[in-house]
Amino acid sequence: MEEYNNIFLKKLSFVIRMVVCYGAYNIPLDWWNVAVPHKDMKAKNSKIHEIGTFFRMVRLDKMFSEEFHAILKSCNIQVIENKAGIYFKPVENTIPKIFQHPF
C-alpha cells in the first residue's frame, strides 16, 4: 500500500505543478489507474505474483479520496471530471498555494 501512496503523491504533485505553471491542466480519465491484486494476495519471497494472480484496475484518486481532496483544497485547486477527462484549475480569484503543502 505504501508504493501506491508514493505513486499517488508523485502524480498529484505533478498535476499541482502543471496547474501552477499553466493555470490549468487536463489529464485523461485513465491517468490515475493502477493494477492491484484482486484479493490483496501477498507476493511470496520473490516479490513476483504467481501465475494465475488476478489484477483489477483501481483509480488512485478514488483509493486515496480524502487525501486527494484535502491536498487540492489546501492548494486552492478545483477538479472537474467529465467524459473527456479530468480538468484541474485554480479556484476562482485565487492563486494555487503550491509551496504550502509539503511533498
Side-chain angles (χ1 to χ4, degrees):
M1 199 61 148
E2 179 78 21
E3 298 87 19
Y4 295 120
N5 193 24
N6 290 339
I7 293 168
F8 166 73
L9 290 175
K10 286 178 185 178
K11 286 188 168 212
L12 187 57
S13 175
F14 174 79
V15 167
I16 292 170
R17 291 177 197 282
M18 293 297 106
V19 171
V20 170
C21 290
Y22 299 112
Y25 196 66
N26 192 25
I27 58 173
L29 287 172
D30 64 349
W31 197 75
W32 290 106
N33 287 356
V34 291
V36 177
H38 182 55
K39 294 186 178 181
D40 287 333
M41 301 172 76
K42 301 291 182 197
K44 296 198 177 179
N45 297 339
S46 66
K47 297 199 181 214
I48 297 175
H49 292 282
E50 298 177 5
I51 296 173
T53 302
F54 294 98
F55 291 89
R56 59 188 168 95
M57 297 303 288
V58 177
R59 284 182 51 177
L60 289 172
D61 62 335
K62 303 295 183 195
M63 185 185 292
F64 300 103
S65 181
E66 291 177 14
E67 189 175 0
F68 176 71
H69 292 295
I71 291 171
L72 290 178
K73 184 176 180 181
S74 71
C75 294
N76 290 333
I77 296 175
Q78 66 182 15
V79 60
I80 300 166
E81 184 175 335
N82 58 26
K83 292 181 205 174
I86 305 169
Y87 184 69
F88 296 88
K89 68 177 189 172
V91 175
E92 291 183 22
N93 301 324
T94 62
I95 298 173
K97 300 181 218 171
I98 178 84
F99 299 110
Q100 290 184 358
H101 193 276
F103 277 103

